Amino acid sequence: MIVLTLETTCDETAAALVTDKLEVLAAVVASQDKLHERFHGVVPELAARAHVERILPVIHETLQRAGVALDDVGAVAVATTPGLAGSLLVGLSAAKALSLALGVPLVAVNHLHAHIYACRMAAGPGVFPCVGLIVSGGHTSLYRCQSPFDFHYLGGTIDDAAGEAFDKVAAMLRLPYPGGPAVSRAAASGDPRAHRFPRSFLGDRERLDFSFSGLKTAVRYAITGAGPGDPAAVELTDRQVADLAASFQEAVVDCLVAKAMAAVARCGLSTLCVGGGVAANRRLRERLKQEADAAGVALTIAPPELCTDNAVMGAIAIERLQAGQVDDWYLDAVPGLVRA
Ligand code: KG4
Ligand code: ZN
């Protein structure tokens, strides 16, 4: 059987065709980065409208690349939570329409569970049970993942997501959007010890939460000094930008690595899976590897193309489908994070 998976939770319009043996026949991602660039962040209404324009061309392109006819699609899966309300509704409406027209099952996907399933797609079924760390523009969460059906929320950010902090710090440093890759590039020539930025909750091993909003403010004050002022209006040398980027990145990485490893120890597991856009960060990948190796933990980080939003990871729907878990027409978009 061939399953069409759709992903429109944030600002990527994506579709994939995956067989029930988890073979990816084709996958297409239309990014909206250019659209949101000048705002240094995703504007929800613009994102929703762009999904409306792109969803059908993206589905057509995916079918064409796979050489598959619409009639060959045996089920339709769609990410329904969490995400931006308007964006989620576009994917959900398209999925319902296709499912109804083709007379095939409709299956909901939890976008965060799917980010972890990206590791399953890359590394095979042996990744379960694991601790899953999702680090993206909208989320920073830790899960105990017993199986593709059983995710238990352990903790997460109490304010901003790690990727959001990268994007806003990039704006302060006048680096391009999305900020993660730009900050990472600038950090490569900087000194991570140049600034001592805060690392939230690191002293509290019991707490598996994150906070990045104070870190953003600390970077801001390091640029402007305490008090008002526009950090992007301050002239910085390349050296200053590199040092600020490296020190900020190191603070984020310290928190992510420490809490992920603490979660693995707490759960008594020996596997860690990491997904989401920020998992593409080179320094994070390097530090996770060092710590995991030292602790004898098997580490799977999603390959870069499966870190940022994509529809291949929506293949988690195939597990649900095979277990007989299909959804009905009452299926709705749930924008907020449901902690399960
Ligand atoms: O998973 P994703 O595509 O979207 C969400 O579900 O939010 O993640 C996008 C985020 C952006 O904030 C972007 O700046 C960040 O991932 N990102 C990175 C890197 N590449 C993308 N952050 C740090 N380092 C990177 N190399
Ligand atoms: Zn995502």
Side-chain angles (χ1 to χ4, degrees):
M1 187 211 273
I2 297 172
V3 179
L4 172 67
T5 61
L6 302 180
E7 155 62 47
T8 63
T9 59
C10 186
D11 64 334
E12 264 90 26
T13 317
L17 286 158
V18 187
T19 71
D20 51 0
K21 305 276 180 296
L22 298 183
E23 184 194 351
V24 180
L25 302 179
V28 173
V29 181
S31 162
Q32 300 179 9
D33 282 353
K34 283 273 161 290
L35 195 62
H36 303 286
E37 196 171 27
R38 69 193 172 102
F39 305 105
H40 293 282
V42 177
V43 181
E45 281 309 317
L46 292 183
R49 282 181 225 162
H51 283 307
V52 171
E53 286 165 11
R54 290 163 199 208
I55 187 79
L56 293 181
V58 163
I59 293 170
H60 280 300
E61 170 89 22
T62 312
L63 289 163
Q64 209 164 42
R65 282 198 205 171
V68 164
L70 206 45
D71 283 344
D72 297 332
V73 170
V76 182
V78 60
T80 57
T81 188
L84 302 172
S87 294
L88 289 167
L89 283 174
V90 178
L92 180 59
S93 305
K96 280 186 178 175
L98 282 168
S99 159
L100 182 65
L102 297 172
V104 300
L106 174 69
V107 189
V109 165
N110 177 307
H111 177 73
L112 298 187
H113 300 179
H115 265 303
I116 294 305
Y117 201 74
C119 294
R120 155 69 183 91
M121 291 302 282
V127 297
F128 293 106
C130 64
V131 162
L133 169 66
I134 298 127
V135 260
S136 71
H139 306 280
T140 305
S141 318
L142 280 162
Y143 284 86
R144 181 192 175 111
C145 319
Q146 205 58 35
S147 76
F149 306 100
D150 186 1
F151 286 72
H152 173 74
Y153 181 84
L154 297 169
T157 182
I158 60 163
D159 42 53
D160 299 326
E164 209 275 337
F166 269 97
D167 293 336
K168 293 302 181 289
V169 165
M172 293 183 213
L173 299 176
R174 291 200 227 164
L175 296 171
Y177 176 83
V183 169
S184 169
R185 270 195 304 277
S189 55
D191 176 5
R193 288 173 304 274
H195 301 268
R196 183 70 199 166
F197 288 135
R199 284 141 169 87
S200 299
F201 308 131
L202 268 203
D204 185 352
R205 281 214 27 113
E206 289 307 304
R207 193 156 180 191
L208 296 176
D209 287 327
F210 304 94
S211 165
F212 297 110
S213 127
L215 172 59
K216 271 186 347 192
T217 308
V219 175
R220 180 199 168 92
Y221 286 161
I223 299 170
T224 61
D230 178 5
V234 177
E235 290 295 334
L236 297 170
T237 64
D238 289 351
R239 170 96 243 148
Q240 286 174 315
V241 169
D243 285 348
L244 285 160
S247 302
F248 159 77
Q249 177 178 264
E250 204 65 14
V252 174
V253 168
D254 276 351
C255 296
L256 295 174
V257 172
K259 295 299 175 186
M261 295 308 292
V264 172
R266 160 108 55 100
C267 294
L269 292 171
S270 56
T271 306
L272 173 63
C273 286
V274 188
V278 182
N281 182 272
R282 203 179 328 138
R283 181 68 181 144
L284 175 62
R285 297 174 87 95
E286 184 179 281
R287 287 277 311 284
L288 281 168
K289 171 123 184 52
Q290 281 168 4
E291 299 279 333
D293 284 352
V297 167
L299 172 70
T300 300
I301 307 178
E305 70 280 8
L306 296 186
C307 280
T308 42
D309 287 348
N310 64 86
V312 170
M313 64 193 193
I316 191 169
I318 293 164
E319 306 267 3
R320 292 197 58 212
L321 196 59
Q322 286 173 341
Q325 296 179 11
V326 296
D327 291 280
D328 60 25
W329 304 121
Y330 293 102
L331 182 63
D332 208 352
V334 181
L337 175 68
V338 178
R339 297 184 171 187

